[in-house]
Amino acid sequence: MEGHIVIIGAGHAAAQAIDSLRREGFKGTITLVGDEPYLPYQRPPLSKKYLAGELELERLFIRPESFYVNHGVTLRLGQAAKALDLAARQVTLADGSTLEYTQLLLCPGTRARKVVAHGAELAGIHYLRSAADVQAIRSRFAPGSRVVIIGAGYIGLETAATCRKAGLEVDVLEMAGRVMNRVVAPEMSSFFAAEHARAGVRLHFDTLVSGFEGRDGAVREVHALDGRVFQTDLVVVGIGILPETALAEAAGLACENGIAVDAHCRTSDPHVYAIGDCVSAPSVRYHRRVRLESVDNAFEQAKTAAANMVGRTVVHDKVPWFWSDQYDLKLLIVGLNFDYDQVVIRGDVHSRSFACAYLREHELLAIDCVNNAKDYMAARKVIETRGKVDPTLLADAGVALRDAVLA
Ligand SMILES: Cc1cc2nc3c(=O)[nH]c(=O)nc-3n(C[C@H](O)[C@H](O)[C@H](O)COP(=O)(O)OP(=O)(O)OC[C@H]3O[C@@H](n4cnc5c(N)ncnc54)[C@H](O)[C@@H]3O)c2cc1C
């Protein structure tokens, strides 16, 4: 198949899409447009080893430059796409130049949700989305300095762990009553909260930020709505992300909590596909549209889109999985726990190797595994086949997970 595919957004999804398009036999030209000045790089290490200073940026590149050369990709990096003309099939870049396409693949990812409070523009208040964000945080990173982290989701907690390991004083302010409240059961939240407290992180729940005060333009205090004041040298905000839909919306593409695509990753315009963190897609399995924020999802949707873009009809219907690293704890999650009616703790939480399973009418919907890759692998197969389990057997870590499956 010939033509010119333009890809907007040079991240995880884009890197995989280039590989998949060529594997699917796409013979035309590809242009990759990215607003960051770098080759597509891995984001997960940003809050982990890259923040800790254990990895150079080049080590994060998903593919070396030679990959793009060998795959015949024209790189337009450090260059944002500013407008789309769907009728003319044309993209306008920040420098005013235009690109004509036969098909367009949108993968602009997400942007950090901004904190809205007095003083939010002070220096020293950072978000953690890009390599540039981490470089800015690291310039203020010193053992003994104080950091206030706003938000106890994955990003906030991973950042807290990395900061503690580097010897910083860490306060985490969370609006909800527990950590990772959007994604895990209270039992899991309690376990992670205890681990952070043990590491010396001070967690403050039900705490809303009312504003920031600074000295010489730099943040020095975080004020909570209840009157408490936290002295600090640095603030990292991790209060969620928003799908990057501005370009798509302005062009008239349908959006619904992300760029709306069908099960083939096609948008409301048949020449335009979209994948990764920026899209909401219909899920046959979950009977609703879902928008996922994970590397696995970006990779899998890239494969689906590439196949459909070359004319092979493929439906995206994968069981999603996620991971998070905090201290020596590796959390692996498979499945989505929508509408669960039972939680089963498998194994001993105190052993720091256990699992938390989510069931609905005995069907295993999802599982969170802590330092427990074996159960993660076994559960994945059960979840894929919509297996039902015996909760009592499942709770017994002495019984192999597959033996808890009901016939
Ligand atoms: C700190 C951090 C830690 C994470 N940890 C994990 C983890 O442990 N496990 C996990 O599964 N996931 C993790 N994630 C999420 C994971 O990184 C994302 O799911 C993944 O990057 C999504 O890939 P993507 O290609 O959709 O978007 P991205 O990788 O975000 O790439 C989108 C790119 O498009 C660019 N862009 C946006 N608009 C334009 C435009 N108009 N023109 C040109 N370029 C544009 C963006 O700047 C960006 O470079 C983490 C994310 C962060 C930030």
mmCIF file with all atom_site columns, all heavy atoms in Angstrom, residues 321-332:
data_model
loop_
_atom_site.group_PDB
_atom_site.id
_atom_site.type_symbol
_atom_site.label_atom_id
_atom_site.label_alt_id
_atom_site.label_comp_id
_atom_site.label_asym_id
_atom_site.label_entity_id
_atom_site.label_seq_id
_atom_site.pdbx_PDB_ins_code
_atom_site.Cartn_x
_atom_site.Cartn_y
_atom_site.Cartn_z
_atom_site.occupancy
_atom_site.B_iso_or_equiv
_atom_site.pdbx_formal_charge
_atom_site.auth_seq_id
_atom_site.auth_comp_id
_atom_site.auth_asym_id
_atom_site.auth_atom_id
_atom_site.pdbx_PDB_model_num
ATOM 1   N N   . TRP A 1 321 ? -3.381 -3.977 30.892 1.00 0.00 ? 321 TRP A N   1
ATOM 2   C CA  . TRP A 1 321 ? -2.557 -4.177 32.100 1.00 0.00 ? 321 TRP A CA  1
ATOM 3   C C   . TRP A 1 321 ? -1.697 -2.946 32.352 1.00 0.00 ? 321 TRP A C   1
ATOM 4   O O   . TRP A 1 321 ? -1.432 -2.164 31.450 1.00 0.00 ? 321 TRP A O   1
ATOM 5   C CB  . TRP A 1 321 ? -1.746 -5.470 32.026 1.00 0.00 ? 321 TRP A CB  1
ATOM 6   C CG  . TRP A 1 321 ? -0.586 -5.449 31.072 1.00 0.00 ? 321 TRP A CG  1
ATOM 7   C CD1 . TRP A 1 321 ? -0.631 -5.723 29.744 1.00 0.00 ? 321 TRP A CD1 1
ATOM 8   C CD2 . TRP A 1 321 ? 0.775  -5.155 31.379 1.00 0.00 ? 321 TRP A CD2 1
ATOM 9   N NE1 . TRP A 1 321 ? 0.617  -5.599 29.193 1.00 0.00 ? 321 TRP A NE1 1
ATOM 10  C CE2 . TRP A 1 321 ? 1.506  -5.260 30.174 1.00 0.00 ? 321 TRP A CE2 1
ATOM 11  C CE3 . TRP A 1 321 ? 1.471  -4.813 32.551 1.00 0.00 ? 321 TRP A CE3 1
ATOM 12  C CZ2 . TRP A 1 321 ? 2.877  -5.033 30.104 1.00 0.00 ? 321 TRP A CZ2 1
ATOM 13  C CZ3 . TRP A 1 321 ? 2.841  -4.585 32.480 1.00 0.00 ? 321 TRP A CZ3 1
ATOM 14  C CH2 . TRP A 1 321 ? 3.528  -4.706 31.275 1.00 0.00 ? 321 TRP A CH2 1
ATOM 15  N N   . PHE A 1 322 ? -1.280 -2.794 33.582 1.00 0.00 ? 322 PHE A N   1
ATOM 16  C CA  . PHE A 1 322 ? -0.572 -1.596 34.055 1.00 0.00 ? 322 PHE A CA  1
ATOM 17  C C   . PHE A 1 322 ? 0.493  -2.020 35.055 1.00 0.00 ? 322 PHE A C   1
ATOM 18  O O   . PHE A 1 322 ? 0.403  -3.105 35.620 1.00 0.00 ? 322 PHE A O   1
ATOM 19  C CB  . PHE A 1 322 ? -1.531 -0.652 34.813 1.00 0.00 ? 322 PHE A CB  1
ATOM 20  C CG  . PHE A 1 322 ? -2.835 -0.429 34.113 1.00 0.00 ? 322 PHE A CG  1
ATOM 21  C CD1 . PHE A 1 322 ? -3.894 -1.325 34.268 1.00 0.00 ? 322 PHE A CD1 1
ATOM 22  C CD2 . PHE A 1 322 ? -3.018 0.670  33.298 1.00 0.00 ? 322 PHE A CD2 1
ATOM 23  C CE1 . PHE A 1 322 ? -5.099 -1.126 33.609 1.00 0.00 ? 322 PHE A CE1 1
ATOM 24  C CE2 . PHE A 1 322 ? -4.222 0.873  32.634 1.00 0.00 ? 322 PHE A CE2 1
ATOM 25  C CZ  . PHE A 1 322 ? -5.264 -0.023 32.790 1.00 0.00 ? 322 PHE A CZ  1
ATOM 26  N N   . TRP A 1 323 ? 1.424  -1.141 35.302 1.00 0.00 ? 323 TRP A N   1
ATOM 27  C CA  . TRP A 1 323 ? 2.347  -1.412 36.402 1.00 0.00 ? 323 TRP A CA  1
ATOM 28  C C   . TRP A 1 323 ? 2.729  -0.119 37.097 1.00 0.00 ? 323 TRP A C   1
ATOM 29  O O   . TRP A 1 323 ? 2.554  0.969  36.546 1.00 0.00 ? 323 TRP A O   1
ATOM 30  C CB  . TRP A 1 323 ? 3.597  -2.147 35.912 1.00 0.00 ? 323 TRP A CB  1
ATOM 31  C CG  . TRP A 1 323 ? 4.642  -1.268 35.289 1.00 0.00 ? 323 TRP A CG  1
ATOM 32  C CD1 . TRP A 1 323 ? 5.686  -0.663 35.922 1.00 0.00 ? 323 TRP A CD1 1
ATOM 33  C CD2 . TRP A 1 323 ? 4.732  -0.874 33.901 1.00 0.00 ? 323 TRP A CD2 1
ATOM 34  N NE1 . TRP A 1 323 ? 6.410  0.076  35.001 1.00 0.00 ? 323 TRP A NE1 1
ATOM 35  C CE2 . TRP A 1 323 ? 5.853  -0.040 33.776 1.00 0.00 ? 323 TRP A CE2 1
ATOM 36  C CE3 . TRP A 1 323 ? 3.982  -1.150 32.764 1.00 0.00 ? 323 TRP A CE3 1
ATOM 37  C CZ2 . TRP A 1 323 ? 6.236  0.520  32.557 1.00 0.00 ? 323 TRP A CZ2 1
ATOM 38  C CZ3 . TRP A 1 323 ? 4.361  -0.588 31.548 1.00 0.00 ? 323 TRP A CZ3 1
ATOM 39  C CH2 . TRP A 1 323 ? 5.472  0.230  31.465 1.00 0.00 ? 323 TRP A CH2 1
ATOM 40  N N   . SER A 1 324 ? 3.234  -0.284 38.316 1.00 0.00 ? 324 SER A N   1
ATOM 41  C CA  . SER A 1 324 ? 3.768  0.864  39.047 1.00 0.00 ? 324 SER A CA  1
ATOM 42  C C   . SER A 1 324 ? 4.880  0.363  39.943 1.00 0.00 ? 324 SER A C   1
ATOM 43  O O   . SER A 1 324 ? 4.762  -0.713 40.537 1.00 0.00 ? 324 SER A O   1
ATOM 44  C CB  . SER A 1 324 ? 2.665  1.512  39.897 1.00 0.00 ? 324 SER A CB  1
ATOM 45  O OG  . SER A 1 324 ? 3.198  2.574  40.667 1.00 0.00 ? 324 SER A OG  1
ATOM 46  N N   . ASP A 1 325 ? 5.976  1.118  40.007 1.00 0.00 ? 325 ASP A N   1
ATOM 47  C CA  . ASP A 1 325 ? 7.097  0.744  40.882 1.00 0.00 ? 325 ASP A CA  1
ATOM 48  C C   . ASP A 1 325 ? 7.207  1.766  42.001 1.00 0.00 ? 325 ASP A C   1
ATOM 49  O O   . ASP A 1 325 ? 7.342  2.964  41.721 1.00 0.00 ? 325 ASP A O   1
ATOM 50  C CB  . ASP A 1 325 ? 8.416  0.729  40.102 1.00 0.00 ? 325 ASP A CB  1
ATOM 51  C CG  . ASP A 1 325 ? 8.414  -0.302 38.988 1.00 0.00 ? 325 ASP A CG  1
ATOM 52  O OD1 . ASP A 1 325 ? 7.774  -1.347 39.170 1.00 0.00 ? 325 ASP A OD1 1
ATOM 53  O OD2 . ASP A 1 325 ? 9.047  -0.051 37.950 1.00 0.00 ? 325 ASP A OD2 1
ATOM 54  N N   . GLN A 1 326 ? 7.145  1.307  43.230 1.00 0.00 ? 326 GLN A N   1
ATOM 55  C CA  . GLN A 1 326 ? 7.319  2.184  44.392 1.00 0.00 ? 326 GLN A CA  1
ATOM 56  C C   . GLN A 1 326 ? 8.219  1.447  45.372 1.00 0.00 ? 326 GLN A C   1
ATOM 57  O O   . GLN A 1 326 ? 7.876  0.365  45.825 1.00 0.00 ? 326 GLN A O   1
ATOM 58  C CB  . GLN A 1 326 ? 5.950  2.505  45.018 1.00 0.00 ? 326 GLN A CB  1
ATOM 59  C CG  . GLN A 1 326 ? 5.038  3.276  44.044 1.00 0.00 ? 326 GLN A CG  1
ATOM 60  C CD  . GLN A 1 326 ? 3.585  3.360  44.484 1.00 0.00 ? 326 GLN A CD  1
ATOM 61  O OE1 . GLN A 1 326 ? 3.307  3.496  45.668 1.00 0.00 ? 326 GLN A OE1 1
ATOM 62  N NE2 . GLN A 1 326 ? 2.670  3.257  43.551 1.00 0.00 ? 326 GLN A NE2 1
ATOM 63  N N   . TYR A 1 327 ? 9.380  2.035  45.680 1.00 0.00 ? 327 TYR A N   1
ATOM 64  C CA  . TYR A 1 327 ? 10.408 1.359  46.491 1.00 0.00 ? 327 TYR A CA  1
ATOM 65  C C   . TYR A 1 327 ? 10.734 0.017  45.850 1.00 0.00 ? 327 TYR A C   1
ATOM 66  O O   . TYR A 1 327 ? 10.912 -0.037 44.628 1.00 0.00 ? 327 TYR A O   1
ATOM 67  C CB  . TYR A 1 327 ? 9.946  1.211  47.954 1.00 0.00 ? 327 TYR A CB  1
ATOM 68  C CG  . TYR A 1 327 ? 9.407  2.499  48.530 1.00 0.00 ? 327 TYR A CG  1
ATOM 69  C CD1 . TYR A 1 327 ? 8.036  2.701  48.689 1.00 0.00 ? 327 TYR A CD1 1
ATOM 70  C CD2 . TYR A 1 327 ? 10.261 3.539  48.874 1.00 0.00 ? 327 TYR A CD2 1
ATOM 71  C CE1 . TYR A 1 327 ? 7.536  3.895  49.178 1.00 0.00 ? 327 TYR A CE1 1
ATOM 72  C CE2 . TYR A 1 327 ? 9.773  4.735  49.367 1.00 0.00 ? 327 TYR A CE2 1
ATOM 73  C CZ  . TYR A 1 327 ? 8.413  4.901  49.513 1.00 0.00 ? 327 TYR A CZ  1
ATOM 74  O OH  . TYR A 1 327 ? 7.933  6.081  49.987 1.00 0.00 ? 327 TYR A OH  1
ATOM 75  N N   . ASP A 1 328 ? 10.739 -1.055 46.655 1.00 0.00 ? 328 ASP A N   1
ATOM 76  C CA  . ASP A 1 328 ? 11.015 -2.382 46.086 1.00 0.00 ? 328 ASP A CA  1
ATOM 77  C C   . ASP A 1 328 ? 9.706  -3.103 45.759 1.00 0.00 ? 328 ASP A C   1
ATOM 78  O O   . ASP A 1 328 ? 9.677  -4.318 45.617 1.00 0.00 ? 328 ASP A O   1
ATOM 79  C CB  . ASP A 1 328 ? 11.848 -3.213 47.078 1.00 0.00 ? 328 ASP A CB  1
ATOM 80  C CG  . ASP A 1 328 ? 11.147 -3.375 48.421 1.00 0.00 ? 328 ASP A CG  1
ATOM 81  O OD1 . ASP A 1 328 ? 10.180 -2.612 48.703 1.00 0.00 ? 328 ASP A OD1 1
ATOM 82  O OD2 . ASP A 1 328 ? 11.548 -4.250 49.201 1.00 0.00 ? 328 ASP A OD2 1
ATOM 83  N N   . LEU A 1 329 ? 8.621  -2.352 45.665 1.00 0.00 ? 329 LEU A N   1
ATOM 84  C CA  . LEU A 1 329 ? 7.310  -2.960 45.389 1.00 0.00 ? 329 LEU A CA  1
ATOM 85  C C   . LEU A 1 329 ? 6.972  -2.827 43.915 1.00 0.00 ? 329 LEU A C   1
ATOM 86  O O   . LEU A 1 329 ? 6.972  -1.714 43.377 1.00 0.00 ? 329 LEU A O   1
ATOM 87  C CB  . LEU A 1 329 ? 6.215  -2.266 46.209 1.00 0.00 ? 329 LEU A CB  1
ATOM 88  C CG  . LEU A 1 329 ? 6.403  -2.284 47.716 1.00 0.00 ? 329 LEU A CG  1
ATOM 89  C CD1 . LEU A 1 329 ? 5.415  -1.332 48.391 1.00 0.00 ? 329 LEU A CD1 1
ATOM 90  C CD2 . LEU A 1 329 ? 6.228  -3.702 48.252 1.00 0.00 ? 329 LEU A CD2 1
ATOM 91  N N   . LYS A 1 330 ? 6.723  -3.948 43.292 1.00 0.00 ? 330 LYS A N   1
ATOM 92  C CA  . LYS A 1 330 ? 6.293  -3.920 41.884 1.00 0.00 ? 330 LYS A CA  1
ATOM 93  C C   . LYS A 1 330 ? 4.810  -4.277 41.865 1.00 0.00 ? 330 LYS A C   1
ATOM 94  O O   . LYS A 1 330 ? 4.428  -5.399 42.187 1.00 0.00 ? 330 LYS A O   1
ATOM 95  C CB  . LYS A 1 330 ? 7.102  -4.924 41.076 1.00 0.00 ? 330 LYS A CB  1
ATOM 96  C CG  . LYS A 1 330 ? 6.714  -4.939 39.636 1.00 0.00 ? 330 LYS A CG  1
ATOM 97  C CD  . LYS A 1 330 ? 7.946  -5.119 38.740 1.00 0.00 ? 330 LYS A CD  1
ATOM 98  C CE  . LYS A 1 330 ? 7.750  -4.453 37.389 1.00 0.00 ? 330 LYS A CE  1
ATOM 99  N NZ  . LYS A 1 330 ? 8.449  -3.242 37.168 1.00 0.00 ? 330 LYS A NZ  1
ATOM 100 N N   . LEU A 1 331 ? 4.004  -3.295 41.507 1.00 0.00 ? 331 LEU A N   1
ATOM 101 C CA  . LEU A 1 331 ? 2.559  -3.521 41.412 1.00 0.00 ? 331 LEU A CA  1
ATOM 102 C C   . LEU A 1 331 ? 2.202  -3.810 39.956 1.00 0.00 ? 331 LEU A C   1
ATOM 103 O O   . LEU A 1 331 ? 2.511  -3.015 39.061 1.00 0.00 ? 331 LEU A O   1
ATOM 104 C CB  . LEU A 1 331 ? 1.824  -2.265 41.897 1.00 0.00 ? 331 LEU A CB  1
ATOM 105 C CG  . LEU A 1 331 ? 0.312  -2.219 41.693 1.00 0.00 ? 331 LEU A CG  1
ATOM 106 C CD1 . LEU A 1 331 ? -0.401 -3.307 42.489 1.00 0.00 ? 331 LEU A CD1 1
ATOM 107 C CD2 . LEU A 1 331 ? -0.248 -0.843 42.084 1.00 0.00 ? 331 LEU A CD2 1
ATOM 108 N N   . LEU A 1 332 ? 1.588  -4.962 39.728 1.00 0.00 ? 332 LEU A N   1
ATOM 109 C CA  . LEU A 1 332 ? 1.128  -5.328 38.384 1.00 0.00 ? 332 LEU A CA  1
ATOM 110 C C   . LEU A 1 332 ? -0.380 -5.468 38.446 1.00 0.00 ? 332 LEU A C   1
ATOM 111 O O   . LEU A 1 332 ? -0.905 -6.168 39.321 1.00 0.00 ? 332 LEU A O   1
ATOM 112 C CB  . LEU A 1 332 ? 1.744  -6.663 37.950 1.00 0.00 ? 332 LEU A CB  1
ATOM 113 C CG  . LEU A 1 332 ? 3.235  -6.652 37.618 1.00 0.00 ? 332 LEU A CG  1
ATOM 114 C CD1 . LEU A 1 332 ? 3.771  -8.065 37.510 1.00 0.00 ? 332 LEU A CD1 1
ATOM 115 C CD2 . LEU A 1 332 ? 3.486  -5.885 36.329 1.00 0.00 ? 332 LEU A CD2 1
#
